[in-house]
Amino acid sequence: MSSNIRSFVMNLLRNQRINEFNEWRLENLILKLNLDGTDFSNLDLSGALLNGVSCVGCNFSKSSLCQANLVQSDLSKANFEKSNLTSALMMYSDLSKCNMFHADLTGTNLMWSNLSHSDLSYCILTRTILVESNLSEANFTGVDMSTAFLKYAKTDNLKKVAV
């Protein structure tokens, strides 16, 4: 990805021009976007088409990603602390070693995703889909998992303290 394209994409996202970004993204789906290490904190990126994007180590703290499409994205080591990911699509994504402390994952689809070694303490998992996800060594301290869908999830060495 050229630096001009990266600058263009960053400008649209940082200025929360999601409709313009999505239109551009639909015309350029073949491009592998690399946004690694970018600070997206405190932004409203709701509905953004970020599927297949590399966002390793990005900061999404206190951001809104409601109904965002992050399918097959590399989000490893990203910070989602206190973010709103309600109804986001995150299937097949790499979320290993993420900070999701106090994130709202209500209705989020995380099927087949890798959340190993992530901190999900005190996050909201109401109707969250975690079917066949890798939750190995993830921290779920203070989380009510009673309405989350966990069928066939890998839960080796899961860290959970009851709420």
Side-chain angles (χ1 to χ4, degrees):
M1 180 174 77
S2 74
S3 60
N4 288 343
I5 292 174
R6 182 179 166 93
S7 296
F8 173 74
V9 167
M10 296 301 296
N11 181 50
L12 291 177
L13 291 173
R14 284 195 173 134
N15 289 303
Q16 302 171 84
R17 293 166 41 199
I18 304 307
N19 288 337
E20 289 175 62
F21 169 77
N22 287 348
E23 286 176 22
W24 176 86
R25 183 73 175 128
L26 288 171
E27 293 171 3
N28 295 279
L29 281 174
I30 196 164
L31 287 179
K32 177 70 174 164
L33 295 180
N34 183 326
L35 305 176
D36 294 350
T38 303
D39 184 2
F40 291 113
S41 60
N42 299 298
L43 295 179
D44 185 354
L45 302 174
S46 296
L49 299 177
L50 294 166
N51 48 306
V53 175
S54 183
C55 291
V56 175
C58 284
N59 182 8
F60 293 101
S61 63
K62 299 179 185 173
S63 290
S64 180
L65 290 151
C66 298
Q67 298 180 346
N69 183 337
L70 294 152
V71 174
Q72 293 184 323
S73 294
D74 188 349
L75 302 159
S76 56
K77 301 178 185 173
N79 181 8
F80 290 98
E81 184 172 341
K82 297 182 181 176
S83 291
N84 186 348
L85 293 152
T86 301
S87 300
L89 299 175
M90 302 176 89
M91 295 89 73
Y92 296 103
S93 292
D94 186 353
L95 292 147
S96 59
K97 300 179 182 174
C98 280
N99 176 13
M100 300 184 109
F101 182 79
H102 271 283
D104 187 349
L105 298 165
T106 300
T108 299
N109 191 336
L110 291 154
M111 269 178 110
W112 305 293
S113 292
N114 180 7
L115 290 131
S116 64
H117 302 277
S118 289
D119 182 5
L120 289 98
S121 50
Y122 302 100
C123 68
I124 300 169
L125 291 181
T126 306
R127 297 180 324 278
T128 303
I129 301 169
L130 293 159
V131 174
E132 294 194 44
S133 292
N134 182 355
L135 308 176
S136 299
E137 308 218 17
N139 184 354
F140 285 91
T141 301
V143 176
D144 178 2
M145 299 175 81
S146 64
T147 63
F149 302 101
L150 291 161
K151 192 171 185 175
Y152 306 117
K154 185 176 181 182
T155 57
D156 302 339
N157 299 315
L158 191 72
K159 299 170 191 151
K160 177 161 176 13
V161 178
V163 288

